[in-house]
Amino acid sequence: MNLIAKLLPESHILLDLECASKKRVFEQVGLLFENQMHIARSLCFDCLFAREKLGSTGLGQGVAIPHGRIKGLKEAVGAFVRVREPIAFDAPDNKPVRLIFVLLVPERATDQHLQILSELAQMFSDKSFREKLLAAKTPHDVHLLFENWEPHAPSQRSAAV
């Protein structure tokens, strides 16, 4: 199982959420983390909003990966949100976003947190993966997509001997 599937239980997957702005997404995710992980919703919202002020976490291609550090958090936690209607996220391609992966990490970042962000970026750069996420019917279907995702192997160079 990859890093992402380990930190994304089905209960952290919200599909076709009715949100008109990233602020509303952060509020909904804050509520989810408060109910599921006992992280105060205001703490979650504030850390995501503060990070967003430093620069958009919109990647382009309809994807955003808002993330933040939470004091006292022991390990990384994630949530996946697919909004019903695309929302503005100040992405570099100026396209609105429908696929949002929220990542909260402990206050002190480790190499693992960078690996998680790297793996997320690889996943979401895969057009087929994005299309499958948009078509998935249930949180279980979405979780299976994350669980079964494998990076594309780099092109094999023939070894000249």
Side-chain angles (χ1 to χ4, degrees):
M1 187 181 304
N2 60 47
L3 287 171
I4 308 310
K6 289 178 186 173
L7 59 90
L8 183 67
E10 286 182 35
S11 59
H12 290 195
I13 298 171
L14 304 174
L15 298 181
D16 300 325
L17 200 61
E18 300 261 356
C19 288
S21 68
K22 57 182 155 182
K23 182 179 176 183
R24 295 287 175 250
V25 171
F26 295 168
E27 288 170 351
Q28 290 299 309
V29 170
L31 189 60
L32 177 129
F33 282 131
E34 185 173 76
N35 291 333
Q36 299 285 326
M37 306 293 299
H38 307 290
I39 300 168
R41 75 179 88 172
S42 59
L43 184 62
C44 177
F45 177 86
D46 291 346
C47 90
L48 293 172
F49 206 71
R51 169 56 188 85
E52 207 63 28
K53 283 182 179 176
L54 298 175
S56 176
T57 55
L59 298 183
Q61 304 299 319
V63 175
I65 307 177
H67 53 280
R69 298 171 193 256
I70 301 282
K71 187 175 184 176
L73 193 62
K74 300 284 186 245
E75 59 188 13
V77 296
F80 174 77
V81 177
R82 183 179 71 201
V83 292
R84 184 174 302 278
E85 296 297 326
I87 58 174
F89 227 98
D90 301 320
D93 63 2
N94 292 317
K95 291 183 181 175
V97 163
R98 278 200 68 207
L99 304 174
I100 303 163
F101 194 101
V102 178
L103 178 66
L104 299 180
V105 299
E107 189 175 34
R108 297 190 190 282
T110 66
D111 284 343
Q112 185 189 26
H113 305 134
L114 297 175
Q115 288 176 330
I116 291 168
L117 286 171
S118 174
E119 195 167 290
L120 282 167
Q122 282 181 10
M123 286 178 164
F124 286 117
S125 68
D126 180 338
K127 183 179 181 183
S128 171
F129 182 71
R130 293 191 312 268
E131 289 170 348
K132 289 174 185 173
L133 287 173
L134 288 168
K137 302 284 187 219
T138 67
H140 179 71
D141 295 341
V142 169
H143 190 267
L144 286 175
L145 287 169
F146 278 101
E147 191 173 286
N148 294 323
W149 182 85
E150 291 184 21
H152 295 294
S155 59
Q156 300 290 322
R157 285 192 236 159
S158 57
V161 180

